[in-house]
Amino acid sequence: MAQLKDLTIRIGSESKWTKSLSRLADTSESSVRAVVREQRRAVREHIQYLSRTRRSCEQELREIQDLITQVQAELDDSVGLLEKN
């Protein structure tokens, strides 16, 4: 019974690929190239977006680290004053 189920799933999967391949075969080369160009452009734009996001995150991290350093220095000063009293 399990083998029959597996076979049914595999046939469905393969028929799905067959349909996709037949649709792809019907597409003209110029339209395929246009889709590829569009996908490459979208990838380039996404890479630029990720680069900008990374730079922004790095800047925010530096600012947070600076704030941590400032707060730590203020705490050290406060503790020092309290220990003197």
Side-chain angles (χ1 to χ4, degrees):
M1 189 67 163
Q3 291 175 340
L4 181 59
K5 184 178 178 182
D6 290 342
L7 183 59
T8 304
I9 292 171
R10 194 170 61 189
I11 289 171
S13 172
E14 289 174 1
S15 67
K16 195 174 7 175
W17 282 107
T18 304
K19 291 174 189 173
S20 296
L21 290 175
S22 67
R23 275 188 268 136
L24 184 60
D26 293 340
T27 347
S28 69
E29 185 177 342
S30 61
S31 62
V32 171
R33 287 177 191 239
V35 168
V36 169
R37 274 194 307 273
E38 177 61 26
Q39 290 296 321
R40 286 182 177 164
R41 184 194 60 74
V43 168
R44 280 192 304 271
E45 286 179 0
H46 193 64
I47 288 170
Q48 291 171 349
Y49 166 77
L50 291 174
S51 294
R52 287 190 303 269
T53 302
R54 180 179 178 181
R55 285 191 299 272
S56 175
C57 288
E58 288 172 345
Q59 177 64 32
E60 286 182 38
L61 178 61
R62 283 190 296 273
E63 291 172 6
I64 289 170
Q65 288 170 334
D66 290 345
L67 287 172
I68 290 171
T69 301
Q70 290 173 4
V71 168
Q72 185 63 48
E74 289 178 17
L75 284 173
D76 291 344
D77 289 345
S78 297
V79 168
L81 290 173
L82 289 172
E83 287 177 345
K84 287 181 183 177
N85 291 331

